[in-house]
């Protein structure tokens, strides 16, 4: 009995990777843009604060110039550098060498008029006369940091709010971005569903009539023709079953029973022998007797069929297929083309094909993956280019 469920299209692995890549790139760009905007806003508020302090520092520097002039004139009477509790100061000569300093900052810049250095604000003034040999006068006052306290929470909340808003916009952009891909997959699924519906009756009729023919009564040429028809019919039948499985989205209720997997493997190998004979492929069987497993007969058969079909399809002429069964699992190994390491990661994705020289929809191994996940089987793939591939299913 089949139970069908109407559900939306879930994200495929390729869609998930595309969406993840887009999300990471989009989030990075948003963070960069917001960081630049936040930095510019910080610079603007800092410059605004410095401009507000500039007049105060200008007055301090004028006062210091007067004191330096007095000291310069009365150097013999007063030999103490002028100090003020409201600010610190320093004087530099024309070669930018320090003459005297009470600054808390160890390093200063003489190229700017006013700037923030750590927690200190520096103002540079060039007096009209070189009192005590001073070309540059530096006034230093501490930064109370009130301006930053007023904006840091506003900056943080604005940054987080803007980031969340941009992420929300990115979400809708990503949906638009993925829509053509999802529409294409939906159209392909719809096409497969309609195709399988039309294939059911003729495929069943062909296989039924072929099985009724006694080939021993036919001459050799006619027997070969019937054999070719049988191979073609089995190929179509296998594709039909794959398409049906995909159309139903693996939502068939499993009728699990204790199955003699040894017998099932031998039966499926016999079924595919006519296909293998076309490429002169030989089977090497190492099947342990009476290995039982609790599983759905149709699903375990479909899993084995797809592995055998691929082993034949991608094998070389006069190659071999090794079928091995133990109590822990079974493996199907071929002497075919092999799979590159970069393609192994996407091997079980639906509609993925790495060799366009052979037919198929790219759904066989996706079905294998769905069935192994349902029964919590583990599937391992070992492959070398031009050597062969070994698929192992373990429980």
């Amino acid at each position: 009995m089949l139970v069908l469920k109407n559900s939306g299209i879930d994200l495929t692995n390729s869609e998930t990777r595309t969406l993840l890549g887009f999300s990471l790139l989009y989030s990075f760009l948003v963070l960069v843009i917001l960081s630049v905007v936040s930095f510019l806003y910080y610079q603007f508020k800092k410059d605004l604060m410095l401009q507000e302090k500039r007049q105060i520092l200008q007055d301090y520097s004028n006062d210091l110039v007067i004191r330096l002039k007095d000291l310069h004139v009365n150097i013999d009477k007063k030999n103490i550098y002028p100090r003020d509790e409201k600010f610190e100061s320093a004087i530099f000569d024309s070669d930018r060498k320090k003459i005297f300093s009470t600054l808390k900052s160890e390093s200063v810049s003489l190229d700017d008029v006013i700037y923030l250095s750590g927690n200190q604000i520096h103002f540079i003034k060039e007096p009209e006369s070189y009192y005590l040999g001073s070309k540059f006068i530096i006034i230093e006052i501490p930064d109370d940091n009130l301006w930053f306290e007023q904006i840091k929470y506003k900056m943080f909340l604005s940054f987080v709010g803007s980031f969340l808003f941009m992420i929300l916009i990115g979400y809708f952009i990503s949906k638009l971005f993925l829509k053509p891909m999802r529409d294409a997959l939906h159209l392909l699924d719809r096409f497969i569903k309609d195709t399988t519906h039309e294939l059911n009756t003729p495929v069943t009729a062909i296989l039924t009539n072929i099985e009724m023919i006694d080939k021993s009564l036919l001459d050799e040429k006619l027997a070969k023709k019937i054999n070719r028809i049988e191979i073609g019919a089995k190929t179509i039948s296998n594709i039909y079953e794959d398409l049906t499985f995909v159309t139903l989205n693996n939502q068939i209720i499993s009728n699990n029973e204790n199955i003699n997997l040894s017998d099932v493997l031998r039966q499926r190998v016999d079924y595919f022998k006519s296909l293998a004979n076309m490429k002169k492929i030989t089977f090497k069987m190492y099947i342990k007797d009476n290995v039982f497993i609790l599983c759905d007969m149709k699903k375990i058969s479909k899993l084995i069929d797809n592995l055998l079909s691929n082993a034949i399809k991608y094998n070389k002429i006069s190659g071999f297929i090794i079928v091995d069964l133990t109590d822990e699992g079974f493996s199907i190994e071929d002497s075919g083309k092999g799979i590159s390491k970069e393609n192994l990661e996407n091997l079980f994705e639906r509609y993925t094909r790495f060799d366009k020289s052979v037919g198929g929809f790219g759904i066989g191994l996706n079905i294998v993956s769905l069935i192994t996940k349902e029964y919590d089987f583990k599937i391992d793939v070992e492959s070398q280019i031009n050597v062969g591939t070994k698929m192992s299913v373990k429980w």
Side-chain angles (χ1 to χ4, degrees), residues 11 19 24 27 48 69 114 123 139 147 238 246 285 294 343 346:
L11 286 177
L19 183 60
L24 290 175
S27 299
L48 188 62
K69 180 179 179 182
I114 185 170
F123 177 77
I139 303 297
W147 66 277
N238 196 46
V246 171
M285 313 277 282
L294 185 65
N343 289 335
N346 307 320

Side-chain angles (χ1 to χ4, degrees), residues 279 312-315 337 353 355-361:
K279 298 178 71 172
I312 295 171
K313 188 186 302 182
Y314 298 102
N315 215 325
K337 300 178 179 180
R353 294 173 59 203
D355 189 345
K356 305 297 177 65
S357 63
V358 295
F361 292 93

